[in-house]
Amino acid sequence: MLLMVVIICSVVLAADLPVWLLLVSNRWKASRLGEIPVLKGFERDRVGEGSYAHFIRQLPIKKRGAWVHLFSGKLDRHLRLSTAVIDMQLLSNSEQCANVPMRLMAEYLWSQGRHNEIVFHDNPGNVLQYNGEGGREDIEAYLRHVFDWCNTSSLVAETVPCDLRQVRAGDVFVYTAGSRKGQRYGHAVMVADVAHDSKGRTALMLVEGNTPAREIHIMRQRNPLRNPWIIVDDNTQQLRFPYCYFTRDELRRYSWMG
């Protein structure tokens, strides 16, 4: 047994990939999401400056070694499921998984001065329109109200199905409570970045929040050598993660994204 452990450690060290390096948060020492390197043979999609995709790539990342915290300030007990933490302060204990794409979309539109486009709908379908004067306190108060009333069900209701072959940054994978047999809770994750290779494969980087409310973070993939990218192609039917999965048919897009 001891000999086997020694052999495994020797192989890992020889590959210059010690276990701690694979598991540490932000091991690339990136300061922004778009600085995380792509996989060999892949190239990031070209995006225009000022676009939503460009905005997401500029999201700041906490320093190497930072771990996800809950809104309460406590450490998330599932630390190994994240690979980097977005440096964005939580606004309330209701800011959970489905609210991540809402938060980022609203932050983008607010930063662009497109205030009249910031609108969501609660579960009954009531319109939640941002009517603030553009100040930081106004948008944060509005978002706290949105988080109280919007969830995976409202997220599905105000998005449209999207073909995985046309996936873009800002798209969401989402399922609702009861949409799967025996599923008591819904979940949502957002596509943060997209890259392609010459073989027709697509690499996705995903971000998420969760319940209880915790900092937005980049999801860790099951394959540590590809982390944080997950590769999909025309044959992909499910995207599997350490604790959940999504089907290709659960990809959706806000209609304003075109």
Side-chain angles (χ1 to χ4, degrees), residues 80-250:
R80 296 296 173 87
L81 300 181
S82 64
T83 192
V85 185
I86 304 301
D87 195 0
M88 181 177 287
Q89 185 175 2
L90 288 169
L91 298 181
S92 83
N93 199 36
S94 298
E95 188 175 348
Q96 299 174 5
C97 65
N99 304 126
V100 169
M102 301 174 195
R103 168 81 185 269
L104 294 178
M105 184 180 78
E107 293 280 5
Y108 166 69
L109 294 172
W110 182 81
S111 72
Q112 296 286 307
R114 297 161 60 179
H115 299 164
N116 64 326
E117 297 179 49
I118 304 175
V119 57
F120 298 98
H121 299 80
D122 62 17
N123 277 331
N126 298 313
V127 177
L128 304 179
Q129 174 75 53
Y130 173 62
N131 293 313
E133 297 179 359
R136 188 67 209 172
E137 291 185 0
D138 289 341
I139 188 63
E140 290 184 359
Y142 166 78
L143 285 171
R144 281 190 286 269
H145 181 66
V146 168
F147 300 156
D148 284 341
W149 294 100
C150 297
N151 55 21
T152 53
S153 294
S154 63
L155 178 59
V156 168
E158 60 186 13
T159 54
V160 295
C162 178
D163 191 333
L164 184 59
R165 289 173 293 186
Q166 275 92 48
V167 62
R168 298 203 315 246
D171 292 343
V172 293
F173 288 97
V174 55
Y175 59 83
T176 62
S179 62
R180 299 175 179 174
K181 186 176 181 180
Q183 186 70 50
R184 295 179 59 191
Y185 306 102
H187 191 46
V189 302
M190 194 190 89
V191 178
D193 210 347
V194 181
H196 289 89
D197 71 357
S198 60
K199 299 177 182 178
R201 299 183 301 173
T202 303
L204 305 177
M205 185 191 300
L206 304 172
V207 296
E208 69 166 354
N210 216 313
T211 305
R214 65 201 67 189
E215 293 174 301
I216 302 173
H217 52 274
I218 300 173
M219 295 178 69
R220 186 176 295 280
Q221 305 309 323
R222 302 173 81 187
N223 184 338
L225 300 180
R226 291 178 176 174
N227 188 53
W229 300 92
I230 184 169
I231 296 177
V232 299
D233 57 27
D234 288 344
N235 296 318
T236 302
Q237 297 303 315
Q238 290 187 353
L239 289 79
R240 291 196 167 272
F241 305 99
Y243 68 97
C244 70
Y245 75 91
F246 291 90
T247 68
R248 66 182 300 131
D249 295 331
E250 290 171 336

